[in-house]
Amino acid sequence: MKNGNLSLEEFNNLYGKSFCVKPFIEICNDTANNVQLCCNSEIVLFEEERDGNTQRDIFFNHDVMTQIRMDMLHSKTNPIDACAKCVSSEPVIGTSMRLESSNQLRKSNPELFNSIVEQGTVNLKSLDIKFGNTCNMGCVMCTASNSSIISQERHDNPPPLALKNVWRVPKTVLIEFGAHELEDLKRNAADIRRFKTTGGEPMLLPGFKDWLRFLVESDYSKNIQVVVVTNGTVSSIPILPLMGQFKKFIMVLSIDAVDELTEYIRYPVKFPKLMNNHITIHDAIVDNENYIQTISLEISTVMHVLNVHKIIDIFKYAEEHLPHINANGIEVVLASSPSGMEPGLIDADTFAQFKLSVEQYNGKFINTVKDVFSMLESQYNELNNNIESKQLKLTQLRDMTKYWKHSRRLDVHDYVTTYTNTILQLN
């Protein structure tokens, strides 16, 4: 046990490999309003299968949710099918959203945690809601379901069959959050203590801003911690007065590179504009004593095969330009999908260079940097112990970069200096 957190082995011994608190405390949807157990799970109930039931009705009463909770409590060895991402990440990096969320509730609200474990208590505390897939970026590690740019791209330039098996393609290009869904959401406001949203891009989604206004005007905001993940291209200055009315408001900036590599990874954005937005919102928060008490900035990074060599630069960028971000304010997630984007696919020289850059880094995010290397090393070793799987993933990577060269007129060799050596591993 470290800092009150159970290790994966300790947690599994006590509660089993299938147990997670998320389905007992959180309502979660995807951009098409399908039902998920959490933002990391597979869909457990599609929109067309809901028979008119609201998200709240499904959470408390639907047979699918009831059965999943029973399985989690009583099946100690067989993980839930929808939890495949956590199941696959745990042997590689020794943790998962399942473990971290459960540890967090176990420490912050042990009474509720024990009630869930012992009695199967269902107590809505959290919402993880997407208000549509409207987005102005087509990030290489994202999906058509979460980006209207990607969805339009794949509609206009249908991917080859090999990539259709890798990429999920929604039925429609633009997915919007309906007014009736917003009304359903309001029914949950009195219960929740945490609200998270990603997108699409939240700052482009009217439902998100309407929801914030409702929470503030109804005075529920004072009880709620909000987490918003934004790509930073749209100024959030106009809604700072709303953000300042919450118990806590965490704005998470998605940053996956801090130079021209951004143009490839987060197509079609240019980094200088992003940097200006980052600094502007940072200074607006820091310079206002009311905001500084409530609003905080963090960074979220998806580390994948195309940006491993630039990850340390993000930590240095935060130190220089966003000094208010605290030592635990950067989260790095290893890409596990789409297949072919895993950072552990890098070649031996790139891995060695990354290891050296970690050893040389001595900034305030040093503990996070060390953890990132440990996770990468685990995935790197795992992939190199399964050559057949690695070859398949490298083939998928090659096919994806070929597709983007055709659809976006961007050649990966012009942006990713490590790509050539990575792809040379392909037999």
Side-chain angles (χ1 to χ4, degrees):
M1 186 183 295
K2 183 179 180 181
N3 299 323
N5 288 329
L6 295 172
S7 69
L8 180 63
E9 183 179 3
E10 292 169 332
F11 187 87
N12 287 346
N13 286 339
L14 285 171
Y15 308 111
K17 294 181 178 180
S18 65
F19 178 73
C20 176
V21 297
K22 284 283 192 178
F24 296 86
I25 65 171
E26 182 173 275
I27 289 176
C28 181
N29 74 338
D30 70 358
T31 55
N33 219 22
N34 300 311
V35 178
Q36 297 177 276
L37 304 179
C38 73
C39 64
N40 206 39
S41 88
E42 301 297 327
I43 294 167
V44 297
L45 200 66
F46 287 91
E47 167 72 9
E48 58 266 26
E49 300 171 329
R50 288 171 49 180
D51 298 324
N53 289 309
T54 66
Q55 289 275 358
R56 184 182 179 89
D57 292 339
I58 292 167
F59 176 77
F60 282 107
N61 302 314
H62 201 282
D63 291 345
V64 168
M65 295 297 296
T66 300
Q67 186 62 53
I68 286 171
R69 293 180 184 122
M70 289 181 61
D71 291 343
M72 284 189 166
L73 290 169
H74 302 299
S75 178
K76 299 296 184 182
T77 58
N78 298 321
I80 306 302
D81 290 342
C83 302
K85 289 182 181 178
C86 282
V87 171
S88 62
S89 71
E90 287 175 351
V92 177
I93 62 176
T95 188
S96 63
M97 181 176 289
R98 175 183 81 95
L99 177 63
E100 292 169 3
S101 300
S102 298
N103 262 327
Q104 183 179 35
L105 185 67
R106 181 178 167 274
K107 291 193 301 179
S108 65
N109 195 337
E111 183 178 349
L112 175 56
F113 181 87
N114 291 333
S115 181
I116 292 171
V117 171
E118 296 167 6
Q119 302 170 37
T121 299
V122 178
N123 190 335
L124 180 61
K125 293 292 183 183
S126 177
L127 295 175
D128 189 333
I129 301 296
K130 292 83 177 172
F131 292 91
N133 75 333
T134 300
C135 190
N136 55 356
M137 284 187 178
C139 301
V140 295
M141 60 288 184
C142 195
T143 67
S145 298
N146 293 319
S147 167
S148 54
I149 291 284
I150 294 176
S151 184
Q152 186 69 58
E153 176 182 48
R154 295 179 192 170
H155 176 272
D156 296 341
N157 300 279
L161 179 60
L163 289 179
K164 287 181 179 179
N165 295 330
V166 175
W167 287 335
R168 277 174 48 188
V169 180
K171 296 178 181 178
T172 56
V173 170
L174 186 64
I175 304 171
E176 298 179 318
F177 197 78
H180 66 287
E181 292 159 346
L182 184 60
E183 291 304 311
D184 179 31
L185 209 58
K186 292 177 181 179
R187 295 175 57 206
N188 304 305
D191 299 323
I192 66 168
R193 296 298 178 264
R194 177 183 180 273
F195 170 74
K196 177 185 176 184
T197 189
T198 50
E201 168 49 45
M203 301 300 172
L204 293 174
L205 298 168
F208 165 64
K209 294 177 182 178
D210 291 343
W211 172 240
L212 289 189
R213 291 189 190 96
F214 166 78
L215 293 176
V216 170
E217 291 168 359
S218 61
D219 209 29
Y220 291 128
S221 58
K222 64 184 181 182
N223 301 318
I224 300 173
Q225 173 179 295
V226 175
V227 180
V228 175
V229 182
T230 172
N231 64 31
T233 59
V234 182
S235 175
S236 53
I237 298 295
I239 64 169
L240 278 176
L242 289 176
M243 293 160 59
Q245 299 300 310
F246 286 82
K247 181 178 180 179
K248 185 72 175 175
F249 198 108
I250 302 172
M251 181 184 296
V252 184
L253 301 172
S254 290
I255 304 176
D256 301 301
V258 292
D259 54 19
E260 66 278 359
L261 178 60
T262 302
E263 184 177 343
Y264 190 85
I265 292 176
R266 312 212 73 170
Y267 169 85
V269 73
K270 306 294 184 183
F271 190 74
K273 178 184 177 181
L274 269 181
M275 183 170 70
N276 181 66
N277 285 355
H278 295 161
I279 294 171
T280 300
I281 189 64
H282 174 275
D283 292 349
I285 294 169
V286 172
D287 293 343
N288 187 307
E289 62 180 67
N290 294 322
Y291 294 158
I292 198 69
Q293 301 300 319
T294 302
I295 307 170
S296 61
L297 285 180
E298 297 184 0
I299 290 174
S300 175
T301 297
V302 178
M303 186 165 74
H304 48 77
V305 66
L306 301 178
N307 72 347
V308 173
H309 61 300
K310 293 286 189 175
I311 291 298
I312 300 299
D313 291 344
I314 296 173
F315 293 93
K316 296 177 180 177
Y317 171 83
E319 290 177 17
E320 181 178 357
H321 299 290
L322 308 171
H324 182 57
I325 294 178
N326 65 41
N328 297 316
I330 298 183
E331 179 185 29
V332 180
V333 178
L334 270 64
S336 58
S337 64
S339 182
M341 292 300 297
E342 294 88 341
L345 290 171
I346 54 175
D347 62 284
D349 286 345
T350 302
F351 179 79
Q353 290 167 9
F354 182 79
K355 182 179 181 180
L356 179 61
S357 67
V358 169
E359 293 169 349
Q360 293 175 340
Y361 176 80
N362 61 356
K364 73 174 182 179
F365 302 105
I366 189 167
N367 290 331
T368 302
V369 168
K370 289 179 178 178
D371 289 342
V372 169
F373 176 73
S374 295
M375 292 190 296
L376 175 64
E377 184 177 38
S378 296
Q379 190 186 78
Y380 177 82
N381 291 334
E382 181 84 8
L383 286 169
N384 280 288
N385 286 331
N386 189 339
I387 300 303
E388 183 178 353
S389 175
K390 183 174 181 178
Q391 289 292 305
L392 173 60
K393 292 176 184 297
L394 286 169
T395 301
Q396 292 165 337
L397 172 63
R398 180 197 63 194
D399 292 345
M400 285 188 284
T401 56
K402 284 183 177 180
Y403 175 84
W404 291 318
K405 185 175 181 179
H406 166 70
S407 66
R408 302 180 177 185
R409 303 296 188 265
L410 296 178
D411 190 331
V412 64
H413 297 90
D414 295 335
Y415 296 90
V416 184
T417 57
T418 59
Y419 180 80
T420 298
N421 286 342
T422 296
I423 215 69
L424 280 175
Q425 301 174 96
L426 188 57
N427 293 331

